[in-house]
Amino acid sequence: MIQWRPDVLGDGFEQLTFELGPDDDPGLGDGKGATAGESDAQQPPVLVGTLIRSLPAPRTLWQRVTGQRRDLEDVDVLYVHGWSDYFFQTVLARFWTDRGARFFAVDLRRYGRSLRPGQTAGYVDDLDDYDAEIEFALAEMRASSPRDAGDRKVVLLGHSTGGLVLSLWASRHPGVVDALILNSPWLELQLSTRGRQVIAPIVNLGAKLSPLEGIPQLDYGFYSRAVRQVGPQDEVARINPEWKPDQSHPVHTGWLRAILAGHDRVYRGLNIDVPVCVLLSTRSALPARWSEELTRTDTVLDVDGIARAALKLGRSVTIERIPEALHDVFMSSVEPRRDAFDRLERFAKGWRRAIG
């Protein structure tokens, strides 16, 4: 029986944990994977995912009597976070529930609420493994749908690596969802397509020999600093630094091989059969030192390269470029954040009206 319980985000949010089987993390038992506590070789942790939900307030008596309906009352949204991240964006959830939609988010295996002691944070060696979390979430969304809801529409919403995961999933599962919204999706390597093709054989060999071999990172914590400085302060204050550290979780060759394979699939062209909206900053920067300019640009991805890659997702792709936005456009300063939500609303309402 499904057991929802109060979530760490407080009133209006609930969570449930679901098991995905025994953990086959290659780091368990050798000390390499003990990023969230000491591993126990005798009792390996169970692999889990966590589903979070926020439901809209019931319609008022006046709305029921007059037959008024909110714009997105027959819509369900499923959010998937990015690398070294988890779901904490209450304002984003409220955007959807204020318009009548049901909002769900999933913390993937070995991330956030789903990270267990002894596990290698964020590790996976095949992005298709996340099918289990996505499909559990969609099944629960269908099962918990109000009896009088009729045919509900499903929107997938992914940030960064979550955008890559959902793009690949949607392409392989036509006819299941109704729209895809991507917040700075990681669709191509920062080194460009040619750079990815050059390093891929090296990474593949390294992953085959030692999947948990660490890869040097140039993460100075500038993105986290920018979010803390200009993002919505109530959300910034609730970030759990163990789940979303200032400098990202360690990167391993097995994980990077999975990412590069996903990038290659996007490069070869996907066939997403629903409208896609891609939200991106207008500028990128890969800095070696801090400056205030970094509060007005994406310091994680090459946004121009992402914009080009996005055109290969499907036949109906809208690209929205947002001046002065951060990597997570909804964690930007006030003006670009408002711009991002305005563009999101324009797409969501336009898409909903268009499909009847």
Side-chain angles (χ1 to χ4, degrees):
M1 180 178 178
I2 294 296
Q3 294 289 335
W4 289 94
R5 63 180 187 274
D7 186 64
V8 295
L9 295 178
D11 291 345
F13 291 87
E14 298 176 294
Q15 65 160 279
L16 67 86
T17 301
F18 53 97
E19 294 190 0
L20 298 166
D23 195 345
D24 60 355
D25 183 341
L28 291 175
D30 64 7
K32 293 181 180 179
T35 56
E38 293 300 322
S39 62
D40 183 349
Q42 300 303 315
Q43 296 292 330
V46 173
L47 202 59
V48 302
T50 308
L51 188 62
I52 305 99
R53 74 177 180 184
S54 181
L55 303 179
R59 284 192 295 168
T60 64
L61 176 60
W62 177 251
Q63 288 173 326
R64 295 196 301 272
V65 169
T66 59
Q68 296 180 36
R69 292 178 61 83
R70 291 162 290 189
D71 291 322
L72 303 176
E73 283 204 353
D74 61 350
V75 173
D76 288 343
V77 179
L78 177 61
Y79 174 88
V80 176
H81 59 80
W83 162 247
S84 198
D85 205 352
Y86 72 105
F87 172 69
F88 63 91
Q89 293 91 336
T90 56
V91 176
L92 180 61
R94 196 175 307 123
F95 167 90
W96 293 98
T97 57
D98 283 350
R99 289 154 181 80
R102 300 193 306 164
F103 181 88
F104 296 79
V106 62
D107 276 8
L108 300 170
R109 63 188 70 189
R110 307 187 185 112
Y111 282 101
R113 300 164 179 81
S114 305
L115 181 62
R116 296 294 182 264
Q119 293 180 332
T120 304
Y123 185 81
V124 71
D125 59 14
D126 187 340
L127 297 181
D128 291 357
D129 288 350
Y130 292 135
D131 285 12
E133 285 96 313
I134 296 168
E135 289 163 15
F136 176 92
L138 293 175
E140 171 56 26
M141 291 159 66
R142 288 191 294 268
S144 64
S145 179
R147 291 184 179 181
D148 60 349
D151 180 25
R152 297 188 67 82
K153 309 303 180 184
V154 178
V155 175
L156 299 181
L157 170 56
H159 171 53
S160 198
T161 308
L164 173 63
V165 169
L166 289 179
S167 296
L168 298 172
W169 187 91
S171 183
R172 290 183 289 109
H173 296 82
V176 178
V177 301
D178 300 281
L180 176 64
I181 299 173
L182 305 175
N183 170 10
S184 301
W186 192 16
L187 303 178
E188 183 56 277
L189 197 66
Q190 293 86 326
L191 296 174
S192 78
T193 299
R194 180 57 181 161
R196 170 175 52 78
Q197 292 170 340
V198 168
I199 71 167
I202 302 171
V203 172
N204 291 342
L205 178 60
K208 182 177 181 180
L209 297 175
S210 183
L212 284 181
E213 184 71 27
I215 296 176
Q217 296 188 77
L218 296 177
D219 182 356
Y220 303 108
F222 295 155
Y223 172 57
S224 296
R225 180 174 175 179
V227 168
R228 287 199 307 271
Q229 187 164 319
V230 304
Q233 293 303 298
D234 56 340
E235 295 196 348
V236 170
R238 71 169 61 94
I239 292 175
N240 184 330
E242 293 185 5
W243 295 348
K244 183 179 175 64
D246 284 349
Q247 293 176 288
S248 73
H249 296 310
V251 171
H252 304 283
T253 55
W255 175 84
L256 184 56
R257 176 177 60 180
I259 296 295
L260 296 181
H263 290 165
D264 185 63
R265 287 155 68 181
V266 172
Y267 173 73
R268 295 175 185 277
L270 302 184
N271 191 29
I272 297 173
D273 63 345
V274 297
V276 181
C277 178
V278 180
L279 300 157
L280 286 169
S281 181
T282 55
R283 293 186 300 131
S284 294
L286 297 177
R289 63 178 61 186
W290 171 260
S291 73
E292 291 301 312
E293 183 67 16
L294 304 187
T295 64
R296 299 185 291 274
T297 187
D298 188 326
T299 57
V300 178
L301 299 181
D302 172 6
V303 291
D304 290 336
I306 299 303
R308 289 190 295 270
L311 298 177
K312 297 188 175 185
L313 294 177
R315 290 168 292 174
S316 178
V317 179
T318 301
I319 299 176
E320 298 280 1
R321 303 296 294 270
I322 302 166
E324 300 191 352
L326 296 180
H327 176 54
D328 185 338
V329 300
F330 301 115
M331 296 300 289
S332 305
S333 58
V334 174
E335 287 304 320
R337 184 165 73 247
R338 182 182 297 119
D339 189 4
F341 276 113
D342 285 347
R343 293 170 189 245
L344 177 61
E345 181 162 38
R346 183 174 63 191
F347 175 83
K349 289 185 177 180
W351 155 78
R352 187 62 197 89
R353 286 193 296 267
I355 63 176

